Amino acid sequence: MADVRSRVSSAKSTGSDQENANSVANLNDDNGNPEEKKKSNRPANTAFKQQRLPAWQPILTAGTVLPAFFIIGIIFVPLGALFLVTSNNVQEVVVEYTDCYYSNGTDNATYNCKDRFDQMPDMGLNCKCEVLFELDTKMEGEVYMLYMLTNYYQNHRRYVNSRDDLQLLGDAASQTAPSTSCQPYEQRDTNDAHNITKNEPIAPCGAIANSFFNDTFNITFLDDGNMNEPVQLNGTGIAWDSDRNAKFQNPASFDGSTNPPNWQRSIQDLPNGYENEDFIVWMRTAALPTFRKLHRRVINTAQTVFDTGLPAGNYSLTVDYSYPVHMFDGTKSIVLTTTSWLGGKNNFLGIAYIVTGSLCILFGAFFLLIHIKHGHSSVLCWDGQNTRSAHHAEAL
């Protein structure tokens, strides 16, 4: 056996010597003169380029994974319960007015505003109606009024892109030459005072601005003795500061432009023009087909029934119904809500934490049982395999 090993080693050394001789010979020309070494593409022999940097690779064992499962579960479940209780403490009232009815002064009959839009399909139509609702408990603190639309896909790619940000920023050139991304709401034909048709640029252009939500609301408290007390609403401070200060500015002049097709008035007639906060809120598109947008804040007036919020009782919601949604099976609602340190009413975060924590505890218990039952036998089996491998090597 020793002789065989020595012959094999001598053969390997002879082969390596021959390879070294050939490599040296390749560096010489035909006359034996040394040539310049050819440029090599081999990376430099550094730790970075040869991938020899020190690294840490965690080894997942039962001693590290099982405690992590239980710690995550113990932390997440109480946090989820806290978030859920906080969300449930937020007061919220949803008043749907899609099928709002109005009274006809001639025959004292009631008609549905939605049916009126079917009979007279005109975006400029206005239908004034009233909806009664009740607050079971007092809404204390800051009360916000939002409008909610359903089945309204503002996240459609062409809809989201249908705007001109330079125009909204007050760029003078964009007022008379809007971006082509606004098509087909980029320009439209209008008639001047002499009934001459001309093509004018639209400001603000695009599908988002053209579909601007224009319902208006008034709320009246009906249980204040014999007097109906109107609820004071504030429309300032409802848009993001970044939008108001950096994205929307009025140009020096709106001359030479016209209003979008669905608007009954021009942007100059809208309070503050591009800087109108209702307009700014609408231009920030929603990600989901059911969405809410902040519309007003209830003003807490001292020495009135609204000094600390909205008292319990009966209320009347008066709506100037101008925005049809029935053609795409949508609905419209008004939401009165308070807030907490966590934000508005949303149970998803609390439920997600509780579910995640519970699953971690269940998985941790399941893997713990497996480790108790089979953990030691696997180690013994591995040790036995190593022992057999060692004996086999010694035999060779």
Side-chain angles (χ1 to χ4, degrees):
M1 179 66 74
D3 294 338
V4 173
R5 291 179 179 175
S6 63
R7 286 197 297 272
V8 172
S9 60
S10 62
K12 289 182 178 179
S13 61
T14 303
S16 61
D17 294 339
Q18 183 66 28
E19 182 179 357
N20 293 334
N22 293 336
S23 62
V24 173
N26 290 334
L27 297 177
N28 299 331
D29 58 9
D30 296 337
N31 297 326
N33 298 322
E35 293 182 345
E36 293 183 0
K37 292 184 179 181
K38 296 181 179 179
K39 186 177 180 180
S40 175
N41 291 327
R42 180 180 179 182
N45 188 20
T46 62
F48 177 76
K49 293 187 176 181
Q50 296 297 332
Q51 299 184 9
R52 295 196 301 267
L53 291 174
W56 176 72
Q57 182 177 358
I59 300 176
L60 301 179
T61 62
T64 58
V65 174
L66 291 179
F69 270 114
F70 287 111
I71 290 173
I72 293 174
I74 292 172
I75 294 176
F76 272 44
V77 171
L79 279 177
L82 175 63
F83 295 156
L84 196 59
V85 170
T86 303
S87 176
N88 289 331
N89 288 335
V90 174
Q91 297 174 276
E92 182 179 285
V93 175
V94 179
V95 182
E96 183 178 342
Y97 67 95
T98 310
D99 297 319
C100 185
Y101 285 86
Y102 72 98
S103 298
N104 192 332
T106 58
D107 54 8
N108 294 325
T110 56
Y111 300 91
N112 194 321
C113 285
K114 182 175 68 174
D115 296 337
R116 187 178 182 188
F117 272 94
D118 286 335
Q119 298 169 3
M120 302 174 63
D122 182 5
M123 289 294 292
L125 182 66
N126 182 275
C127 177
K128 194 161 188 171
C129 60
E130 183 181 18
V131 179
L132 301 179
F133 66 95
E134 181 181 3
L135 293 183
D136 296 330
T137 58
K138 181 179 181 179
M139 302 184 73
E140 297 185 350
E142 289 285 341
V143 181
Y144 301 90
M145 184 173 75
L146 307 90
Y147 59 85
M148 180 174 70
L149 302 178
T150 64
N151 204 34
Y152 198 122
Y153 289 84
Q154 277 197 318
N155 59 354
H156 192 283
R157 180 180 60 86
R158 291 190 62 188
Y159 183 88
V160 171
N161 293 333
S162 185
R163 61 188 293 163
D164 188 346
D165 289 319
L166 287 178
Q167 186 188 62
L168 298 174
L169 195 56
D171 181 67
S174 298
Q175 306 307 315
T176 55
S179 171
T180 55
S181 61
C182 290
Q183 293 180 350
Y185 304 104
E186 175 189 6
Q187 295 179 339
R188 72 185 185 96
D189 294 334
T190 59
N191 295 327
D192 60 11
H194 302 286
N195 203 24
I196 299 176
T197 302
K198 58 180 179 179
N199 189 266
E200 289 186 306
I202 297 175
C205 71
I208 308 176
N210 184 59
S211 60
F212 177 40
F213 184 81
N214 59 347
D215 283 356
T216 58
F217 313 94
N218 289 295
I219 301 178
T220 305
F221 182 51
L222 304 178
D223 288 352
D224 188 20
N226 296 324
M227 300 291 293
N228 295 333
E229 187 73 22
V231 178
Q232 301 299 319
L233 302 174
N234 185 8
T236 61
I238 61 175
W240 289 21
D241 292 338
S242 59
D243 289 348
R244 291 199 309 267
N245 301 329
K247 293 185 178 182
F248 294 84
Q249 294 180 13
N250 290 320
S253 174
F254 289 102
D255 294 340
S257 61
T258 185
N259 55 291
N262 288 345
W263 287 34
Q264 300 304 308
R265 54 180 178 174
S266 66
I267 186 65
Q268 303 177 64
D269 299 327
L270 190 69
N272 300 324
Y274 290 152
E275 298 177 15
N276 181 274
E277 293 202 41
D278 287 328
F279 177 69
I280 295 175
V281 169
W282 178 257
M283 292 300 291
R284 177 168 286 277
T285 55
L288 300 176
T290 297
F291 59 86
R292 301 176 178 183
K293 292 181 183 287
L294 182 59
H295 185 63
R296 293 291 183 269
R297 294 183 295 112
V298 175
I299 300 176
N300 294 339
T301 308
Q303 298 179 352
T304 65
V305 292
F306 310 117
D307 55 348
T308 58
L310 292 180
N314 296 312
Y315 289 82
S316 170
L317 173 67
T318 305
V319 183
D320 284 336
Y321 197 115
S322 304
Y323 199 81
V325 295
H326 59 281
M327 68 279 293
F328 54 86
D329 297 327
T331 62
K332 302 189 293 183
S333 304
I334 281 297
V335 181
L336 295 173
T337 180
T338 59
T339 58
S340 66
W341 62 270
L342 195 60
K345 188 178 184 66
N346 191 342
N347 294 335
F348 173 79
L349 186 62
I351 295 174
Y353 266 71
I354 292 175
V355 171
T356 302
S358 301
L359 288 176
C360 286
I361 293 176
L362 289 176
F363 279 120
F366 176 71
F367 291 139
L368 179 61
L369 293 176
I370 294 178
H371 177 64
I372 293 174
K373 187 174 182 181
H374 302 288
H376 298 291
S377 60
S378 61
V379 173
L380 292 176
C381 180
W382 176 255
D383 291 341
Q385 184 179 358
N386 288 342
T387 304
R388 289 195 297 273
S389 299
H391 288 317
H392 183 65
E394 290 178 359
L396 293 177

